Structure formats: structure tokens, C-alpha cells
Amino acid sequence: MADTALMSIPGLIDPVPTPRDITPRADGRIDLIGLPKPRITELFAAAGLDAKAAKLRAKQVFHWLYHRGVTDFAAMTDIAKDMRPWLSERFVIGRPEVVLSQHSSDGTRKWLLKTADDHEYEMVFIPDESRGTLCVSSQVGCTLNCRFCHTGTMRLVRNLTPGEIVGQVMLARDALGEWPKGAMQGFDEVEDDDGGGYSADGRLLTNIVMMGMGEPLYNFDNVRDALKLVMDGDGLGLSRRRITLSTSGVVPMMARAGTEIGVNLAVSLHATNKAVRDEIVPINRKYGIEELLQACADYPGASNARRITFEYVMLKDKNDSDADARELVRLIKLYNLPAKVNLIPFNPWPGAIYECSSPERIRRFSDIVFDAGISAPVRTPRGRDIDAACGQLKTTAQKMTRAELDRLADEKQAALG
Ligand code: SAH
Ligand code: SF4
């Protein structure tokens, strides 16, 4: 990809290609989605508006983009009529392209999306009684190769841009029909706990989790810039308390995530000793459990009211014994962490080398942690019938390629035999 620069990242792995923040379309127009307001002001000034006009227009356009979800400059009725074509000749309001959208029997929805340069990634919407959660991707694929995760087996990886990340949230609002209609009035104040003016009746998008494809802390700047637009009262206006970032344990970036983004933290712990975590979450070989838990203890903003979630995938005979549960409790207490534990039944995928623990085992594990005074709910798998559950995200296109390869192999075999 011509417009891809290599970003160095502090990991075990090769740098992840990251595109430039602005890559004009083939026709030279620039996509405004994902750019902060001052950047839009600069672009308007560079295109010929005087400083005052550029600032005013940027403010108006920004409001239309993020409060009203408008995708056409022609609909911006408070902008002078002759100004609207001027804008649309130079700029576009993009959305990720939808390749496929699927609906699960349990109400979960999954979208296969495509970037302008033809990379596919996925997002998932999970409604329940009290909230509607959008599971957002930060990268195409993931470089970290956790042994139980299907996304980690994808070869192709590139960081998503802020526009491609915030674009997922905007597309979900398009699909759910959630943009406010009527008079130009927004949610200028974001109350800390009210979901930014959105009710929590499960049909609406109230929460965001950075738990789709990719490791968000390997794409720190873009994830931060996108989430700033999501949290901005002039932007999408969602409270930071309703956003959770999940990391497999990129320790050097965790403090910055706390201070520069300030959302809830989830940590994919999955094991309580070095040997097992080295095997199933290979980044552990670089940043070990002690370092990781210390970074959690130091996480800015963590408190009993805002606990850190430890995700723990239940793998049969690997990390699911009573001793593991007790060690998990010991570690959480040793570091004095305000924590809750999320037990995730392993979601199998073709070729996975693990099995899910039995329901009785998961229940027993949960009871041990719970009896020690730490909340340990078992997460109900959602959207399994459309491969939308945790760790199953791997684009349909890649799966089809694999199926095609198998078919070709069979045909070849048949021809030979
Ligand atoms: N890369 C980040 C966020 C995306 S994964 C991270 O690893 O935290 C979101 C969660 O799903 C993580 O806790 C991950 O470990 C878990 N997960 C991955 N594959 C899974 C599978 N096959 N079954 C159940 N959970 C899985
Ligand atoms: Fe990447 Fe998270 Fe999957 Fe690990 S679990 S491979 S970090 S997406």
C-alpha cells in the first residue's frame, strides 16, 4: 500500500503498517470523518476560507457530522446554499463500506466492513435488556497470536485510522436509526453517567467496548483520537464511563491509556502463572504477570466505583482448576486491585487446539472467586450462530479463501487419484 508508513511499536512483533491520517480519495477529495475540529478548520483555511469563516464553518460542519449523522453537505441547512457545493467538491463524509451484515437469532448483529483500500474488518452490536453494546475493532487482524483467538490467526494486519474507528460507531447509529431528528439541538453537556443523553433500554447503542479485532494499545494514537471524538460533547457525546478498552497487556501504554483516554480498562489475563500465560497469551513473554498487575494497580482512575475487569477465557484442563481460581484471587488481593472478573466460555473455531471447560467447572471457578468477595460473572456467549462471539472475528472473506483452498486441494486430490 503506497500510503502506508511503518510505525514502530514496543512489541514482540513486526511493526504494524499504519496509514497516514489523511489519504485523499482518488478524486482528490478529503474525508472529514475522524479529524478533530481544529484539523477541519485548517483544511477549510487551506482551501481558501479566511480564518474566521473557516472556524465557523468547521464548527457547523462538525455539528452536522457528529450530532446529526449527516453524510451529505446538501443537507446542512444552516450553511449558505452556495457554500454547500464548495464543500462537496473538496470534501467527503465517509462511512466504512458494508460488505455483509448478519443478524443472529439472539439479536446480535455483525457487520463485515471494508476500508477504502480493500481491507476487511468487523464490528458487532449486542443488545440486552439494559444496554446496547457495540464491539469495535482497532486493527485489521491482530499481530499478537493468542493461541485461543481466531483473529490472531489473520495474516494481514493494518492499523485502522481514527475515521475507520469512529466510523464504526457512526455506521451503527445509521443502521440503528439513532441520529436525533428535528431541530438543531445536541447533547452539549455529557453527564458522566447518563450515556450521553441516550436511554438504556437495550435497543440503543449505549456502550462501546474496544474488543473487536486487534490490540487497541498497539494502535494507541488512532484509538485515542477516535475515542476523543466519541466522548466529545460536540462529537458523539458518549460518556467515558460507558466505554471499555480491552488490552492483552501492553504494559508500557497502559498509564497513557488512563491519562490520555480515561475509559474503563479490561485486561485479558487468562492465566495465573507464567508457563500457561506464556503459552496462551504470548505477549506475556515480554510483559509478565507481575508487571501487568502493577500497571493495573497504577492505572489512573481505577477505584471501587470504576473497577478493572479481568477477562479470563475458560480453557479445559489448561487454566480452569480450583488452584487457578484461588491463585487468581491471591494475585488480585496481593496487588490490592479494585477488580471484577469476567469468565468467558471459550468459543471454539475450526482448527482451535483448546476446548471449553464444562459448565460445572466454570460454575465452580466462579464460586471460588465470588466467595473471596470478587464479582465473577460468566459471560453468555452471544451471536455464536453468525461467528460474532468473542475471539471468533476473522473476516468471512478470509474464511472463504480457506474454504476455497480446501476445495481446490480436494479437487486436486480427486484429479490425482
Ligand atoms: N486484543 C484485545 C481486545 C480484543 S479480544 C484483547 O485481547 O484484550 C476481546 C476478548 O475476547 C479478549 O479477552 C480475548 O482474550 C477474548 N477472546 C479471544 N478469543 C476468544 C475465544 N475464542 N473465546 C472466548 N474469548 C476469546
Ligand atoms: Fe489479538 Fe486480543 Fe486476539 Fe490476542 S485475544 S490475538 S490480543 S485480538
Side-chain angles (χ1 to χ4, degrees):
M1 214 181 79
D3 278 314
T4 298
L6 285 184
M7 181 185 77
S8 75
I9 42 174
L12 278 172
I13 38 84
D14 297 331
V16 183
T18 201
R20 294 204 301 239
D21 75 329
I22 292 181
T23 306
R25 295 269 168 101
D27 62 10
R29 293 187 300 166
I30 292 170
D31 188 349
L32 295 179
I33 296 296
L35 302 178
K37 208 186 292 163
R39 194 85 177 85
I40 297 180
T41 310
E42 273 171 31
L43 288 170
F44 286 1
L49 296 187
D50 68 47
K52 205 167 147 234
K55 198 162 176 213
L56 171 71
R57 296 302 179 206
K59 189 171 184 310
Q60 287 173 310
V61 167
F62 196 82
H63 192 92
W64 281 107
L65 299 185
Y66 292 104
H67 268 192
R68 302 294 299 275
V70 155
T71 51
D72 186 355
F73 293 104
M76 300 185 177
T77 47
D78 65 343
I79 293 179
K81 260 213 167 100
D82 56 346
M83 185 74 208
R84 295 179 220 162
W86 184 90
L87 285 165
S88 52
E89 277 157 25
R90 292 163 178 80
F91 303 101
V92 283
I93 304 165
R95 289 288 191 269
E97 184 187 330
V98 177
V99 180
L100 190 71
S101 90
Q102 289 170 282
H103 228 122
S104 159
S105 51
D106 69 12
T108 302
R109 296 171 72 170
K110 182 173 87 168
W111 290 265
L112 175 63
L113 308 174
K114 195 157 86 172
T115 63
D117 59 348
D118 280 345
H119 296 302
E120 290 180 337
Y121 60 111
E122 292 175 334
M123 72 170 188
V124 176
F125 179 69
I126 309 148
D128 65 29
E129 310 83 54
S130 60
R131 64 179 71 180
T133 305
L134 188 70
C135 183
V136 171
S137 292
S138 55
Q139 299 181 312
V140 173
C142 185
T143 50
L144 284 173
N145 300 112
C146 299
R147 300 272 303 268
F148 51 83
C149 175
H150 208 190
T151 308
T153 66
M154 280 176 70
R155 274 199 13 241
L156 187 70
V157 179
R158 98 151 159 71
N159 280 335
L160 293 174
T161 63
E164 289 157 352
I165 297 169
V166 74
Q168 294 171 63
V169 185
M170 302 182 77
L171 191 72
R173 279 211 175 148
D174 294 345
L176 300 167
E178 274 188 31
W179 295 104
K181 298 187 175 62
M184 278 279 282
Q185 53 178 23
F187 312 109
D188 289 329
E189 298 291 317
V190 182
E191 297 281 326
D192 250 2
D193 258 327
D194 71 351
Y198 288 88
S199 74
D201 68 356
R203 283 179 304 113
L204 302 176
L205 197 173
T206 57
N207 291 61
I208 291 178
V209 292
M210 297 301 302
M211 294 188 187
M213 290 178 157
E215 167 49 56
L217 295 188
Y218 269 180
N219 187 14
F220 183 83
D221 290 355
N222 291 352
V223 167
R224 176 199 55 209
D225 293 352
L227 290 181
K228 282 205 173 341
L229 291 167
V230 173
M231 294 185 284
D232 186 346
D234 283 336
L236 293 174
L238 217 81
S239 158
R240 67 193 170 90
R241 292 176 188 278
R242 291 183 173 270
I243 303 173
T244 300
L245 184 149
S246 175
T247 180
S248 58
V250 185
V251 169
M253 302 309 286
M254 285 169 60
R256 281 187 67 195
T259 47
E260 294 179 38
I261 311 177
V263 295
N264 303 319
L265 181 68
V267 171
S268 295
L269 192 61
H270 304 318
T272 57
N273 64 65
K274 179 166 167 55
V276 176
R277 198 162 191 269
D278 276 357
E279 175 190 327
I280 65 179
V281 187
I283 196 179
N284 194 66
R285 296 175 207 158
K286 184 147 179 107
Y287 310 115
I289 293 176
E290 291 76 20
E291 256 180 284
L292 176 58
L293 295 178
Q294 189 56 50
C296 292
D298 298 339
Y299 187 72
S303 67
N304 274 326
R306 289 188 73 202
R307 287 174 293 170
I308 293 172
T309 304
F310 288 98
E311 295 163 280
Y312 200 97
V313 63
M314 298 300 295
L315 304 173
K316 186 174 177 191
D317 298 333
K318 182 50 70 180
N319 63 355
D320 63 351
S321 69
D322 287 1
D324 285 312
R326 283 194 285 269
E327 180 61 4
L328 179 59
V329 168
R330 191 188 72 83
L331 287 171
I332 289 173
K333 298 212 158 159
L334 181 65
Y335 286 85
N336 203 11
L337 296 168
K340 54 187 169 192
V341 172
N342 225 331
L343 299 176
I344 316 176
F346 170 62
N347 287 308
W349 37 273
I353 56 171
Y354 301 109
E355 279 177 59
C356 184
S357 312
S358 70
E360 300 73 44
R361 186 94 290 280
I362 298 178
R363 177 59 39 218
R364 169 98 183 115
F365 195 104
S366 168
D367 287 345
I368 293 174
V369 179
F370 186 80
D371 288 345
I374 300 164
S375 138
V378 180
R379 197 188 284 174
T380 322
R382 298 289 303 268
R384 268 190 176 173
D385 54 339
I386 55 168
D387 288 352
C390 283
Q392 287 187 324
L393 300 186
K394 176 168 180 179
T395 66
T396 309
Q398 287 216 354
K399 281 179 228 158
M400 282 189 320
T401 309
R402 174 78 222 173
E404 270 165 28
L405 284 176
D406 289 343
R407 186 171 48 82
L408 281 179
D410 287 345
E411 281 171 6
K412 200 166 164 194
Q413 194 68 36
L416 287 173

